[in-house]
Amino acid sequence: MEGLAGATEDEALRRRTLRIGGRSVAWVAPLLVLAAVTVLDVVTGERYRFVSWIVLVPGTAAALCGIWTTAAIAVLSLATYLALDSAWPGQYEAGLPDFLLVGLGGVLAVLACAVRLRRERGMLHMRDVAETTRRTVLRPLPPLWAGLEHAALYLSADAEARVGGDFYDMQPGPHGVRLLLGDVQGKGLGAVETAATLLGTFREAGYHESDLAAVAERLESRIVRYREYTAALGRPDGDRFATAVLIGFPAAGSGVVEVVNFGHLPPLAVGPHGIRPLPAGNGVPLGLCDLVGGLPPLRRVPLAADETLLLVSDGVTEARDVSGEFYPLRAELARAIAADPGRAEPRRLVRRVREGVLRHTGGQLADDTTAFAVRRARAPRAPS
């Protein structure tokens, strides 16, 4: 596996170099610099010697090329220096000091190239780790799965992290399809670990448990045990909790969805005739249910065939513009749906949220931004 990872990183490094038609042309730039210095040294005459500028050539190669190419260009630069300098009479030669300067520049360029490539490999490895983590927490979902069509949006406030404390997933099973979207308190790797823990429990319980309330109970039990584990390790972030909304589409395919809300924003039912919030449920976040003596209630809510459920994190509703105003999600969606009822389709709905948040914030996200839109798949029309 390590050899495979190394090969993948080498391929990524090759892709990052300047290429035309699949072939690297990174060597062209340092050779152009070498040609320019050579021409300048010849045409300016003995009064202005530019030959020592050849030291720039290996440095240019170090920034763009591989180690062996950089070493070859360093040797070529040294040979070019000797040829140019020896062509002049003795009194005009740059001499040994500049020769040593060009030679030392070549050696340093090769070393700098090796350091650059090592750091790039490290960065690529970290990117692969981050991507693997993202795919574990936010696994790819089929756009049409178990009779539901959906679309998702995830924008991390930290562009380098790729994933944060927001999470979502969908799990079909013998008892219907269950959805989970939530937001872990706090940030950093601890929040990602908590999200992954909850999602692992959800994927198992969402498939096996016949009652959505039992899935909710399993999630609460899991985060409590996880907090006990982190506290036993002496970690300072062992008291995390998570707001979440758990949705169930019963296997019977009725026009009803089941909702358990752990202190999260209520989902919105978006359809051609307008927008309505589902009941909030007045629940507390996952990990805090012992404070109120029980889980949030399970509610059964009607959902029309042409309505799409939209679940969002507070990164959407609390997105601010330069004046500090919150993003008016419901108002913007209401205007969009009134102008075109077809925008209630999941992909178009999520795209609208994404464009609206980025426009409202000027692309400067203060928190992770997540949206998940889902509805029952339309039956294909019979040919007329």
Side-chain angles (χ1 to χ4, degrees):
M1 292 297 291
E2 291 180 359
L4 179 61
T8 302
E9 290 168 6
D10 288 341
E11 291 173 3
L13 284 173
R14 285 194 291 269
R15 288 195 297 268
R16 288 164 66 93
T17 60
L18 299 173
R19 308 184 77 84
I20 295 178
R23 296 181 177 274
S24 174
V25 293
W27 50 270
V28 173
L31 290 187
L32 288 176
V33 175
L34 180 61
V37 172
T38 301
V39 170
L40 280 173
D41 191 66
V42 170
V43 301
T44 54
E46 66 276 5
R47 294 184 60 188
Y48 301 100
R49 296 299 313 280
F50 285 91
V51 68
S52 58
W53 285 29
I54 287 180
V55 73
L56 299 175
V57 177
T60 304
L64 301 173
C65 304
I67 293 179
W68 291 110
T69 303
T70 301
I73 290 176
V75 172
L76 177 63
S77 300
L78 201 59
T80 304
Y81 173 89
L82 287 173
L84 282 177
D85 202 40
S86 61
W88 293 93
Q91 66 269 31
Y92 299 117
E93 290 181 358
L96 181 61
D98 283 0
F99 173 79
L100 295 176
L101 176 65
V102 174
L104 180 61
V107 172
L108 294 178
V110 173
L111 293 176
C113 180
V115 172
R116 187 201 99 221
L117 292 176
R118 183 176 180 179
R119 288 184 176 178
E120 287 186 359
R121 285 192 177 92
M123 292 173 59
L124 289 171
H125 178 69
M126 292 304 298
R127 187 191 68 179
D128 290 342
V129 170
E131 181 64 18
T132 301
T133 303
R134 187 191 69 82
R135 292 174 67 87
T136 300
V137 177
L138 305 175
R139 61 176 179 172
L141 300 174
L144 180 60
W145 200 16
L148 298 178
E149 57 178 313
H150 73 89
L153 160 70
Y154 180 83
L155 298 174
S156 175
D158 184 351
E160 296 298 325
R162 292 176 176 257
V163 66
D166 286 7
F167 59 92
Y168 61 82
D169 203 0
M170 180 168 70
Q171 182 59 60
H175 311 291
V177 183
R178 277 69 187 268
L179 314 176
L180 179 67
L181 184 142
D183 182 4
V184 176
Q185 171 263 336
K187 298 182 182 297
L189 293 178
V192 176
E193 185 179 347
T194 304
T197 300
L198 288 171
L199 285 172
T201 299
F202 166 74
R203 289 161 187 165
E204 290 300 310
Y207 181 88
H208 292 288
E209 297 290 352
S210 59
D211 187 357
L212 191 69
V215 180
E217 185 176 359
R218 291 272 297 273
L219 290 170
E220 172 65 16
S221 172
R222 185 67 185 94
I223 195 170
V224 169
R225 289 189 293 114
Y226 175 75
R227 289 168 58 178
E228 292 172 351
Y229 163 74
T230 53
L233 291 177
R235 284 169 44 175
D237 60 346
D239 58 348
R240 293 186 186 273
F241 58 87
T243 65
V245 57
L246 181 62
I247 306 287
F249 284 81
S254 63
V256 173
V257 294
E258 300 173 329
V259 183
V260 179
N261 195 321
F262 290 93
H264 199 77
L265 299 167
L268 300 177
V270 183
H273 306 295
I275 302 172
R276 60 184 177 89
L278 271 60
N282 299 321
V284 296
L286 284 164
L288 302 179
C289 292
D290 57 334
L291 299 179
V292 296
L295 298 172
L298 185 150
R299 298 178 180 270
R300 292 177 174 84
V301 183
L303 184 71
D306 58 355
E307 286 186 311
T308 297
L309 274 185
L310 177 64
L311 295 75
V312 301
S313 68
D314 57 8
V316 175
T317 56
E318 295 182 6
R320 297 174 183 263
D321 61 10
V322 292
S323 63
E325 295 292 327
F326 290 121
Y327 173 59
L329 173 65
R330 289 184 60 182
E332 284 221 356
L333 290 182
R335 286 195 295 268
I337 298 302
D340 180 8
R343 287 179 176 168
E345 188 266 334
R347 285 179 298 178
R348 298 183 67 186
L349 192 59
V350 165
R351 189 184 309 122
R352 180 73 183 188
V353 173
R354 181 183 188 277
E355 293 173 353
V357 170
L358 292 177
R359 181 179 63 252
H360 187 77
T361 62
Q364 303 299 315
L365 300 177
D367 197 3
D368 297 336
T369 301
T370 305
F372 193 93
V374 60
R375 72 178 180 186
R376 294 184 180 90
R378 304 285 182 89
R381 295 181 179 179
S384 54

